[in-house]
Amino acid sequence: MMQLGFALLTIGSVRAKSAKSVALKNIMDAAFGGVGYFFFGWAFAYGDKLDADGNSINNAFIGTNNFAMSTTEESKYNTFLFQYVFAISTATIVSGAVAERVKFIAYALYAFFLTAWVYPVLTHWVWTTSGWASPTRLASLGPLFIGSGVYDTVGSGAVHMMGGVAGLAGAWVAGPRRGRFDANGKPVTMPGHNAVLYMSGVLLLWFGFYGFNPGTMGQLIAADGTSFSGVVARCAISTTMGGCFGGTVGIIVQLIYSKLCHGQAIWDLTAAGNCALTGMIVITSGCATLEPWAAALGGVVGGLIVLPSSLFVSHVLKIDDPVDAFVVHGIGGAAGVIWYALMAHKEFVTELYGAAPDGGQRHWGWWQGDYPNVLGANVIWCLVIFGWTFAMMAPFFYVLKLCGLLRISPEEEELGADISKHGGSAYPGMENMYNEHEASVKNGSTFAKMGNGHTDSHADKISSLEAELTALTNRVNKMSPA
């Protein structure tokens, strides 16, 4: 369901001439990613060799067993399936960041590389009983990192931040779409072609988060027979509060910004959607250990960081990210890792993880009264995620670029990947209508300017809108059968 959400959100955010390209690549993220995770990723992530007593043999860096699920017990199949979906979610985040200008073969190769190597190694470090950063590391393998281990239970860092950073690397190496920046380096608006598809993608992702976050708990009844349903319910409430408060704060921030900078207050759909998703990402890692009010505040954080981060990426870094993948997932994911370290409730941490390996109390959130052990571990974890992911993915994309496998040609990009690479438009028979609309946007028509508050009067706006709608109606009528 989240894969469909990612697809619709990205399709709605790009131009009509790239819709089929994005749809195909979202399918192949799942397919190629599954091949990579099956052959290598599962082993590198969870393929610990065991001693005679069934305990993990110390390998803090990487798993070395169980390639192609060769010795996986059927009781672990559900874990494989769940982790495979996490892996392809990471790959799909990247596809939005590099949409509209990257070759299909580049998607296939990076999806395989990401799910076979980059993502699995990172998850081994934090989600196994032998990983160097794991809070559940076996006592026989040594002490926990900074006395607590890294708290990234559901993956604000390991999934979202990693995917966002990989997308940043891809967008940086690939370069912007043609026309995204003017001769002076100023960003030029390139609006998506279908707001309804974008909205549908946001809501499907929101729904999918109830599998992503509560589903990570993996149980309603604990191994000792006690109820674990309260933890699962807490994850669901945290997810809901993150989305609600993120979307609400985000649309208000955008409203104020549009009024101050453009003179016209706009209730912006993209701000509402992106900020709702960012709010949920901020609470993702710690969803099981946050009180409802703390999850709500996490949503507020998500709603506040999107606009300034987006402006920084486009105006300062000059990076073209059509869906703000690095902002929503990369920066939102990092904020989630830090929020967990600040706000984790003492009793909830014990309920989730149990006692510390030495039998004592585990560390919890710094702002909840503990020492800053978890904060120190999680800040380092964010730096590790950025360093590992960028160091792996930027050279990978650069090699593709040197080999001529990364970008489509300028002529193909101008025509659109759907027609030049995928056998035709996603909207057969409607190409002219979309092309005329895109041309009107490029030429600065009144219709395109209305959302930016640049028209001289309401009468001019209404008159221009009527003319645009009349022309659109005539074009549709010409397309209809007699």
Side-chain angles (χ1 to χ4, degrees):
M1 191 64 70
M2 294 192 85
Q3 197 70 18
L4 178 59
F6 278 121
L8 293 180
L9 183 151
T10 306
I11 290 169
S13 299
V14 301
R15 292 165 293 181
K17 62 185 180 181
S18 302
K20 184 189 288 186
S21 169
V22 171
L24 174 61
K25 287 161 185 171
N26 271 267
I27 292 176
M28 299 319 295
D29 278 337
F32 287 129
V35 172
Y37 201 73
F38 170 76
F39 279 117
F40 302 105
W42 175 245
F44 290 148
Y46 295 100
D48 281 342
K49 291 186 176 181
L50 306 178
D51 61 20
D53 297 323
N55 296 318
S56 296
I57 298 175
N58 186 14
N59 191 331
F61 178 70
I62 194 173
T64 58
N65 195 31
N66 222 353
F67 292 95
M69 298 182 69
S70 55
T71 59
T72 302
E73 299 175 358
E74 290 185 0
S75 61
K76 297 293 185 181
Y77 283 3
N78 62 322
T79 304
F80 171 85
L81 180 63
F82 197 85
Q83 292 300 325
Y84 149 72
V85 175
F86 266 39
I88 64 170
S89 296
T90 307
T92 303
I93 293 169
V94 185
S95 68
V98 298
E100 295 207 89
R101 72 273 204 196
V102 171
K103 290 183 178 181
F104 180 75
I105 187 62
Y107 278 89
L109 293 174
Y110 92 70
F112 185 91
F113 181 61
L114 196 67
T115 57
W117 171 251
V118 186
Y119 169 80
V121 172
L122 195 77
T123 58
H124 180 86
W125 296 344
V126 73
W127 287 343
T128 66
T129 57
S130 61
W132 64 266
S134 175
T136 59
R137 181 176 171 83
L138 296 175
S140 60
L141 301 181
L144 298 179
F145 181 61
I146 312 188
S148 68
V150 168
Y151 286 11
D152 189 13
T153 309
V154 187
S156 290
V159 177
H160 291 287
M161 183 182 176
M162 182 187 179
V165 173
L168 177 71
W172 176 61
V173 174
R177 291 168 290 175
R178 287 168 50 85
R180 181 64 176 91
F181 297 95
D182 64 18
N184 298 318
K186 183 179 179 181
V188 176
T189 301
M190 300 181 76
H193 80 284
N194 196 313
V196 176
L197 290 181
Y198 168 83
M199 178 275 299
S200 301
V202 170
L203 293 181
L204 285 171
L205 285 169
W206 192 325
F207 179 76
F209 264 105
Y210 293 110
F212 196 102
N213 291 354
T216 298
M217 300 302 104
Q219 59 185 4
L220 291 173
I221 304 297
D224 61 3
T226 59
S227 174
F228 207 69
S229 60
V231 180
V232 177
R234 194 156 55 241
C235 292
I237 293 299
S238 296
T239 301
T240 304
M241 293 301 97
C244 291
F245 280 83
T248 300
V249 171
I251 197 171
I252 293 173
V253 170
Q254 182 65 41
L255 182 75
I256 296 171
Y257 173 79
S258 62
K259 179 64 175 178
L260 293 177
C261 294
H262 302 298
Q264 181 178 356
I266 297 173
W267 297 97
D268 190 79
L269 171 64
T270 303
N274 281 0
C275 291
L277 294 176
T278 307
M280 286 184 278
I281 290 167
V282 169
I283 62 83
T284 284
S285 277
C287 61
T289 63
L290 299 175
E291 296 175 273
W293 66 266
L297 284 180
V300 171
V301 171
L304 290 174
I305 63 178
V306 170
L307 178 61
S309 300
S310 180
L311 293 174
F312 178 78
V313 169
S314 59
H315 287 76
V316 179
L317 298 182
K318 308 294 184 184
I319 289 176
D320 179 18
D321 183 346
V323 297
D324 271 341
F326 175 64
V327 172
V328 174
H329 298 276
I331 297 177
V337 174
I338 303 304
W339 194 248
Y340 193 168
L342 297 174
M343 302 304 294
H345 191 274
K346 180 178 180 180
E347 285 75 18
F348 297 164
V349 169
T350 300
E351 188 177 13
L352 177 64
Y353 285 123
D358 62 3
Q361 171 66 50
R362 285 187 179 273
H363 287 285
W364 66 97
W366 185 31
W367 286 359
Q368 293 280 14
D370 192 21
Y371 297 104
N373 293 62
V374 182
L375 179 62
N378 280 24
V379 168
I380 293 173
W381 181 236
C382 288
L383 297 175
V384 167
I385 292 172
F386 189 94
W388 168 257
T389 306
F390 204 84
M392 291 290 107
M393 297 306 300
F396 180 82
F397 282 116
Y398 191 69
V399 169
L400 293 180
K401 185 176 182 178
L402 290 177
C403 296
L405 299 175
L406 185 59
R407 280 198 70 137
I408 60 179
S409 69
E411 295 77 18
E412 291 169 333
E413 186 178 342
E414 186 67 26
L415 185 62
D418 291 359
I419 293 175
S420 64
K421 292 292 185 181
H422 302 294
S425 171
Y427 308 99
M430 300 181 70
E431 297 95 330
N432 291 336
M433 183 178 71
Y434 282 115
N435 289 340
E436 289 176 16
H437 172 68
E438 185 176 334
S440 71
V441 172
K442 286 182 178 179
N443 294 331
S445 71
T446 304
F447 182 74
K449 291 177 180 177
M450 283 182 64
N452 296 321
H454 295 307
T455 50
D456 294 329
S457 70
H458 291 293
D460 289 340
K461 294 178 184 179
I462 294 172
S463 190
S464 297
L465 179 58
E466 288 177 346
E468 292 282 350
L469 291 176
T470 300
L472 177 61
T473 301
N474 291 336
R475 289 197 294 268
V476 172
N477 287 339
K478 290 179 182 178
M479 291 164 50
S480 302

